[in-house]
Short mmCIF file of all heavy atoms in Angstrom, two decimals:
data_model
loop_
_atom_site.label_atom_id
_atom_site.label_comp_id
_atom_site.label_asym_id
_atom_site.label_seq_id
_atom_site.Cartn_x
_atom_site.Cartn_y
_atom_site.Cartn_z
N THR A 157 6.42 -25.36 6.39
CA THR A 157 7.50 -25.41 7.37
C THR A 157 8.35 -24.14 7.26
O THR A 157 8.39 -23.51 6.21
CB THR A 157 8.41 -26.64 7.13
OG1 THR A 157 8.87 -26.60 5.78
CG2 THR A 157 7.65 -27.94 7.39
N VAL A 158 8.98 -23.80 8.37
CA VAL A 158 9.81 -22.59 8.47
C VAL A 158 11.17 -22.99 9.01
O VAL A 158 11.26 -23.89 9.85
CB VAL A 158 9.14 -21.56 9.42
CG1 VAL A 158 10.10 -20.45 9.82
CG2 VAL A 158 7.89 -20.97 8.76
N SER A 159 12.23 -22.36 8.54
CA SER A 159 13.55 -22.65 9.10
C SER A 159 14.42 -21.40 9.03
O SER A 159 14.03 -20.39 8.46
CB SER A 159 14.20 -23.80 8.33
OG SER A 159 14.37 -23.42 6.98
N CYS A 160 15.60 -21.49 9.64
CA CYS A 160 16.51 -20.35 9.65
C CYS A 160 17.29 -20.31 8.33
O CYS A 160 17.81 -21.35 7.90
CB CYS A 160 17.50 -20.48 10.81
SG CYS A 160 18.81 -19.25 10.75
N CYS A 163 21.33 -20.90 9.51
CA CYS A 163 21.84 -22.18 10.02
C CYS A 163 20.96 -23.37 9.64
O CYS A 163 21.33 -24.52 9.89
CB CYS A 163 22.00 -22.10 11.54
SG CYS A 163 20.43 -22.07 12.43
N GLY A 164 19.78 -23.08 9.08
CA GLY A 164 18.92 -24.19 8.60
C GLY A 164 18.08 -24.84 9.68
O GLY A 164 17.25 -25.70 9.38
N ASN A 165 18.26 -24.41 10.95
CA ASN A 165 17.46 -25.04 12.01
C ASN A 165 15.98 -24.74 11.83
O ASN A 165 15.60 -23.66 11.38
CB ASN A 165 17.91 -24.52 13.37
CG ASN A 165 18.99 -25.44 13.94
OD1 ASN A 165 18.72 -26.57 14.32
ND2 ASN A 165 20.21 -24.97 13.91
N ASN A 166 15.14 -25.74 12.19
CA ASN A 166 13.69 -25.56 12.08
C ASN A 166 13.18 -24.55 13.08
O ASN A 166 13.75 -24.37 14.15
CB ASN A 166 12.98 -26.90 12.30
CG ASN A 166 13.33 -27.89 11.20
OD1 ASN A 166 13.67 -27.46 10.09
ND2 ASN A 166 13.30 -29.18 11.52
N ALA A 167 12.09 -23.90 12.69
CA ALA A 167 11.39 -22.99 13.59
C ALA A 167 9.90 -23.18 13.33
O ALA A 167 9.52 -24.01 12.51
CB ALA A 167 11.82 -21.54 13.32
N THR A 168 9.06 -22.44 14.04
CA THR A 168 7.62 -22.63 13.85
C THR A 168 7.03 -21.45 13.07
O THR A 168 7.65 -20.37 13.00
CB THR A 168 6.89 -22.68 15.21
OG1 THR A 168 7.04 -21.39 15.82
CG2 THR A 168 7.47 -23.78 16.10
N ASP A 171 6.86 -18.57 15.42
CA ASP A 171 8.11 -17.81 15.56
C ASP A 171 8.24 -16.79 14.42
O ASP A 171 8.60 -15.63 14.62
CB ASP A 171 9.32 -18.75 15.49
CG ASP A 171 9.39 -19.74 16.64
OD1 ASP A 171 8.82 -19.44 17.70
OD2 ASP A 171 9.96 -20.84 16.43
N CYS A 178 16.10 -16.63 14.67
CA CYS A 178 16.43 -18.03 14.97
C CYS A 178 16.95 -18.13 16.40
O CYS A 178 17.84 -17.37 16.80
CB CYS A 178 17.49 -18.52 14.00
SG CYS A 178 18.15 -20.14 14.42
N GLN A 179 16.42 -19.09 17.17
CA GLN A 179 16.84 -19.19 18.58
C GLN A 179 18.23 -19.79 18.71
O GLN A 179 18.84 -19.72 19.78
CB GLN A 179 15.81 -19.98 19.37
CG GLN A 179 15.60 -21.39 18.88
CD GLN A 179 14.53 -22.11 19.73
OE1 GLN A 179 14.27 -21.72 20.86
NE2 GLN A 179 13.94 -23.16 19.19
N HIS A 180 18.77 -20.33 17.60
CA HIS A 180 20.11 -20.91 17.67
C HIS A 180 21.18 -19.91 17.28
O HIS A 180 22.23 -19.81 17.90
CB HIS A 180 20.21 -22.15 16.77
CG HIS A 180 19.26 -23.24 17.16
ND1 HIS A 180 19.51 -24.11 18.20
CD2 HIS A 180 18.02 -23.56 16.69
CE1 HIS A 180 18.49 -24.94 18.33
NE2 HIS A 180 17.56 -24.63 17.44
N LEU A 185 14.44 -15.97 9.91
CA LEU A 185 13.55 -17.11 9.64
C LEU A 185 12.85 -16.90 8.30
O LEU A 185 12.60 -15.77 7.89
CB LEU A 185 12.52 -17.24 10.76
CG LEU A 185 13.07 -17.48 12.17
CD1 LEU A 185 11.92 -17.65 13.16
CD2 LEU A 185 13.99 -18.69 12.19
N ASP A 188 10.02 -22.53 4.00
CA ASP A 188 10.87 -23.40 3.15
C ASP A 188 10.39 -23.47 1.72
O ASP A 188 10.22 -24.55 1.14
CB ASP A 188 10.92 -24.80 3.79
CG ASP A 188 11.61 -24.75 5.15
OD1 ASP A 188 12.53 -23.90 5.29
OD2 ASP A 188 11.23 -25.52 6.05
#
Side-chain angles (χ1 to χ4, degrees):
T157 55
V158 166
S159 61
C160 171
C163 71
N165 268 290
N166 295 334
T168 65
D171 295 336
C178 171
Q179 60 180 338
H180 299 280
L185 299 183
D188 295 328

